[in-house]
Amino acid sequence: MTDANGEDWQTLWHRLHETLGGKWAFHVLRLLSERDAGFNEMRRELDGVTAKTLSKRLGELRCHGLVSRSVEATSPPRTRYALTPEGERFVSVLRDVESLVSVADCGCGRECEVLTVDADATATVCTEGC
């Protein structure tokens, strides 16, 4: 299936999922959209992420060209991560989408968080299974 530009949209969306599908990828990008950060600083701020997962996610995001890594010649050396220009463009789109997403309480008496997006940025109520 191709879009108006002749590109296979399914392939593009698979690549998008590969880029952002890993746990904590969105969180890392969101944090770095606020400021550059060191590894331990990110690990502390992203409550619950393990060092192994954070390291893997940063490697993947660097591989996709969204995050850069620099090492400062201090003692001990200091590593900083930042968004690349491509990462900044990518995150700006995500931040636009962020304003359209809400978590709705379905009102059925159990935890039923439903992510919703609509034209008016209003939440819809979960009715399935309630």
Side-chain angles (χ1 to χ4, degrees):
M1 303 181 138
T2 57
D3 66 10
N5 297 322
E7 296 185 56
D8 179 2
W9 68 266
Q10 290 186 31
T11 300
L12 291 172
W13 280 74
H14 282 299
R15 288 197 343 238
L16 178 63
H17 183 265
E18 288 172 5
T19 303
L20 297 175
K23 191 172 183 180
W24 297 102
F26 282 105
H27 299 78
V28 169
L29 291 171
R30 180 64 165 80
L31 187 147
L32 292 176
S33 74
E34 297 292 326
R35 67 186 179 288
D36 298 355
F39 184 87
N40 289 328
E41 179 183 351
M42 283 190 282
R43 203 173 90 212
R44 280 190 302 274
E45 184 146 340
L46 299 174
D47 189 34
V49 68
T50 65
K52 180 180 177 181
T53 298
L54 180 57
S55 180
K56 183 176 182 181
R57 233 31 90 225
L58 285 166
E60 291 167 355
L61 294 169
R62 287 179 60 214
C63 181
H64 289 293
L66 301 176
V67 171
S68 65
R69 176 180 179 258
S70 62
V71 179
E72 298 173 9
T74 58
S75 182
R78 186 173 161 185
T79 303
R80 303 293 290 171
Y81 293 88
L83 293 177
T84 63
E86 294 81 12
E88 289 175 6
R89 284 190 15 238
F90 196 79
V91 171
S92 73
V93 172
L94 293 177
R95 297 289 296 260
D96 288 342
V97 171
E98 179 182 89
S99 68
L100 300 175
V101 177
S102 62
V103 177
D105 178 9
C106 70
C108 65
R110 53 176 200 193
E111 291 201 24
C112 182
E113 293 181 346
V114 180
L115 294 179
T116 61
V117 178
D118 65 21
D120 299 322
T122 57
T124 59
V125 176
C126 169
T127 56
E128 283 190 25
C130 294

